[in-house]
Amino acid sequence: MPIPEEHCFSNASLCSYFHRKKKMSQKQMKEAFVSNHNGTSVLEVTQGLCLPAFCILCRGLLIILSQHLCYSHTWRTRFFTDFVFLIVPLVATLTILSSFVLLEHLAVIILGAGLFYQIYCRRTCCARMPVQKILEKFLKIGIESEYVPAISCFRVINSAFTAIAILAVDFPLFPRRFAKTELYGTGAMDFGVGGFIFGTAMVCPEVRRKYTDGSRFYYLTKSLYSVWPLVFLGVGRLVIIKSIGYQEHLTEYGVHWNFFFTLIVVKLLTSLLLSIFPLNKSWIMAISIIVLYQLALDFTPLKRLILYGTDGRGTRIGLLNANREGIISTLGYVAIHMAGVQTGSYMLKKRSHVKDWVEGTYHILLTAISLFISLYIVQVNVEVVSRRMANLAFCIWIIASSLILLSSLLLCDIILSFAKFLIKGAIVPCSWKPIQLSATNKKHSESLVSKAERKEPSLCLITAMNRNQLIFFLLSNITTGLINLLVDTLHSSTLWALIVLNLYMFTNCLIIYVLHLQDKTIKFW
């Protein structure tokens, strides 16, 4: 499929680009290729983020229908189904279909509507009831789940998106407007780090009440111990990158800083804050931190320090100057983390009926819309989004985008639960299990799913990636580095780039999937 000229480099423009850079080394050319970009619109990024939620819904509806039609599922067919519905659309959205996201949405919605119609026509529950009565009965049933599937899907979508983007950005096929912005703007890749921190915060030990016993000192000690793998990974990445001369985007974090060091500082600072302040006041801390940080950017020399260093000429001499972007922007990520903690606490509140989750989804969606309105006001009157500084507008954008994705996933989960309600005994991994609550005693409830579902191992790529998310992230970084060292990405054709990207994701996903089938969870602590 041809790619619009305004979004990707044509052959002529590529020749011109490389002619201008002919005196550069391969490393410098790759660094220049991913630098000095201004991003795209907030709307386009939001459209791309929401697409995987509807793809996951279609995948669930297809599984329900195939089970009802008595088609058997092996781990190979289930892996292939998950890969086609979760990974392939993301690869296409970030490459050849980047200008046709709305058409992708339309195609997925039509497919989902068709699958749902077939399920409704073949329903085994409430076969002779009118639609209104069926909906009333559905809203009264309960949801049985040890976790919220939308949170797992959120984390997996962000991981898959990041894994694709970090390699795709090195190919001409990848639209430059999706790359990380240099100073101001919203690129699709700018969401990756903020979304990762937000997703991690929703399932952090504080939200899961993992450390309920012991003193605050014991809690802080546990938090300090838990970051040592990140220290190892951060130092290891730094040593490897510097030793092999791998390309770097200097203004992203600085000379020595990287994402792992940001995670370490965020983890330690947020653990300290949550040991002092109540968990349900996390939103107050988030607002306070980001507002004070933005005031410091506007009324102190802090912004000038980030952009130009202590001498005003962009010096990189000294630890602070060398890593000023990574060190100072950590404050913005701390605010994002605290907002994620508040969201996770709200998501994990006990809700006994479907109607309670409908109400919760509505509140999250309303909050997201309110934040997008706030984002517009802040960008007009204060400052536009800057990932480099992680300013107020950036934090609002990350939180709003995360909530809109989360609400989309919750909505799709509710629709999928309704489909499972219509077909008794339907089994869909990483989804809610509808139960019929007893009118006399809610502690004893009649499950609408078979006992086999409780014992059957989950053949699910989403569960596998969520289970070993750090390993998937490391594997993606390692394979990205190897491909960049072995393949001339800058001169790759569209077809070759698509083949490499899909094989790269297929290999990474298959390794993680096999680990899951072997019941292996790899942790370093």
Side-chain angles (χ1 to χ4, degrees):
M1 181 178 291
I3 301 173
E5 292 181 1
E6 65 269 25
H7 301 308
C8 293
F9 285 93
S10 65
N11 290 334
S13 61
L14 270 177
C15 291
S16 174
Y17 175 84
F18 292 127
H19 178 73
R20 293 193 306 268
K21 307 298 181 182
K22 63 182 180 179
K23 293 185 179 180
M24 288 185 173
S25 66
Q26 184 77 359
K27 175 177 179 289
Q28 290 172 324
M29 289 172 66
K30 287 191 173 184
E31 288 174 351
F33 195 58
V34 299
S35 303
N36 300 312
H37 300 298
N38 298 318
T40 182
S41 67
V42 171
L43 179 61
E44 186 174 26
V45 177
T46 305
Q47 290 170 351
L49 278 176
C50 293
L51 180 65
F54 298 107
C55 291
I56 290 173
L57 172 61
C58 288
R59 163 247 188 200
L61 294 174
L62 180 64
I63 291 173
I64 293 173
L65 185 60
S66 62
Q67 287 175 353
H68 183 67
L69 296 176
C70 300
Y71 291 122
S72 60
H73 288 276
T74 64
W75 73 268
R76 294 178 182 85
T77 58
R78 187 62 63 82
F79 173 77
F80 180 76
T81 301
D82 287 353
F83 186 82
V84 167
F85 276 91
L86 179 62
I87 305 300
V88 173
L90 271 175
V91 173
T93 300
L94 291 173
T95 54
I96 56 174
L97 297 181
S98 59
S99 297
F100 306 100
V101 178
L102 287 179
L103 290 178
E104 285 186 273
H105 275 276
L106 181 61
V108 171
I109 290 172
I110 291 173
L111 174 62
L115 291 170
F116 187 83
Y117 176 75
Q118 292 298 321
I119 291 171
Y120 182 79
C121 292
R122 291 171 168 82
R123 64 188 184 277
T124 59
C125 179
C126 311
R128 297 184 179 181
M129 279 189 182
V131 176
Q132 185 176 356
K133 294 291 184 181
I134 296 175
L135 287 173
E136 289 177 359
K137 186 174 181 181
F138 171 67
L139 291 174
K140 293 178 182 177
I141 68 169
I143 293 293
E144 180 187 29
S145 179
E146 297 178 356
Y147 67 102
V148 181
I151 295 179
S152 299
C153 291
F154 177 97
R155 287 158 52 81
V156 168
I157 288 171
N158 192 68
S159 294
F161 165 80
T162 302
I164 296 167
I166 60 175
L167 177 59
V169 71
D170 295 315
F171 290 91
L173 178 65
F174 187 83
R176 296 300 98 189
R177 69 186 190 278
F178 286 173
K180 289 181 179 179
T181 54
E182 190 66 25
L183 179 55
Y184 292 108
T186 52
M189 289 187 70
D190 292 328
F191 176 79
V193 176
F196 186 92
I197 287 179
F198 189 91
T200 302
M202 286 194 291
V203 294
C204 69
E206 295 87 354
V207 172
R208 292 181 287 121
R209 311 285 180 176
K210 190 173 180 179
Y211 304 140
T212 55
D213 300 325
S215 64
R216 291 182 179 180
F217 177 76
Y218 171 78
Y219 163 70
L220 289 174
T221 303
K222 291 287 290 185
S223 298
L224 185 63
Y225 173 73
S226 69
V227 302
W228 77 260
L230 297 175
V231 175
F232 174 77
L233 294 172
V235 174
R237 187 184 189 280
L238 173 62
V239 171
I240 293 172
I241 291 296
K242 297 300 181 182
S243 61
I244 66 175
Y246 195 76
Q247 66 265 18
E248 299 177 87
H249 190 178
L250 187 64
T251 58
E252 184 177 356
Y253 293 110
V255 178
H256 312 103
W257 203 267
N258 58 52
F259 178 53
F260 295 110
F261 295 143
T262 296
L263 287 180
I264 293 167
V265 177
V266 169
K267 171 66 177 174
L268 294 177
L269 289 179
T270 54
S271 295
L272 178 62
L273 288 172
L274 290 171
S275 68
I276 299 172
F277 299 99
L279 194 70
N280 61 356
K281 303 300 181 183
S282 298
W283 66 275
I284 298 178
M285 287 183 279
I287 293 174
S288 302
I289 292 168
I290 193 55
V291 169
L292 290 174
Y293 176 50
Q294 184 63 47
L295 290 173
L297 289 173
D298 290 339
F299 299 106
T300 71
L302 187 61
K303 183 187 296 186
R304 182 179 176 82
L305 172 63
I306 296 174
L307 300 181
Y308 307 111
T310 54
D311 67 348
R313 299 178 181 178
T315 180
R316 291 290 175 179
I317 299 174
L319 184 63
L320 177 60
N321 282 315
N323 305 285
R324 55 182 183 266
E325 295 92 348
I327 294 173
I328 299 174
S329 66
T330 303
L331 291 172
Y333 292 115
V334 169
I336 292 172
H337 184 97
M338 300 308 294
V341 169
Q342 185 70 51
T343 304
S345 300
Y346 180 78
M347 291 283 289
L348 294 179
K349 283 175 61 177
K350 185 173 179 61
R351 293 175 174 86
S352 56
H353 295 85
V354 172
K355 62 181 180 182
D356 297 329
W357 277 107
V358 172
E359 183 180 352
T361 303
Y362 170 75
H363 289 155
I364 292 175
L365 180 59
L366 194 63
T367 304
I369 294 172
S370 301
L371 286 172
F372 276 119
I373 295 172
S374 302
L375 174 61
Y376 174 79
I377 295 171
V378 168
Q379 291 205 108
V380 170
N381 298 286
V382 182
E383 190 176 36
V384 298
V385 172
S386 173
R387 172 203 51 81
R388 188 170 171 182
M389 292 184 283
N391 60 359
L392 173 62
F394 175 80
C395 293
I396 294 175
W397 173 57
I398 292 296
I399 298 167
S401 299
S402 298
L403 292 181
I404 205 76
L405 173 57
L406 201 57
S407 60
S408 299
L409 289 166
L410 285 169
L411 176 62
C412 292
D413 274 338
I414 292 170
I415 296 172
L416 190 58
S417 297
F418 184 52
K420 293 174 70 175
F421 170 73
L422 295 175
I423 303 292
K424 287 184 177 179
I427 301 172
V428 180
C430 198
S431 65
W432 277 321
K433 304 170 187 178
I435 58 172
Q436 185 65 55
L437 293 175
S438 171
T440 56
N441 190 353
K442 291 186 179 180
K443 291 183 180 179
H444 303 284
S445 55
E446 179 186 354
S447 177
L448 299 179
V449 295
S450 63
K451 293 182 180 179
E453 183 174 1
R454 305 169 191 270
K455 299 178 181 179
E456 181 183 336
S458 178
L459 302 177
C460 177
L461 180 59
I462 297 173
T463 304
M465 290 174 65
N466 188 58
R467 180 176 185 174
N468 282 300
Q469 190 176 30
L470 182 59
I471 295 300
F472 179 78
F473 181 72
L474 290 176
L475 187 62
S476 301
N477 274 270
I478 293 170
T479 48
T480 294
L482 290 174
I483 291 171
N484 266 288
L485 293 174
L486 298 174
V487 176
D488 184 6
T489 57
L490 295 180
H491 295 87
S492 296
S493 65
T494 297
L495 179 60
W496 175 241
L498 285 174
I499 291 172
V500 171
L501 284 170
N502 281 287
L503 282 176
Y504 153 79
M505 287 302 296
F506 186 87
T507 303
N508 291 342
C509 290
L510 183 60
I511 292 172
I512 294 298
Y513 196 77
V514 170
L515 283 175
H516 175 62
L517 292 179
Q518 298 296 322
D519 200 25
K520 303 291 185 183
T521 302
I522 300 178
K523 296 184 105 177
F524 303 102
W525 62 91

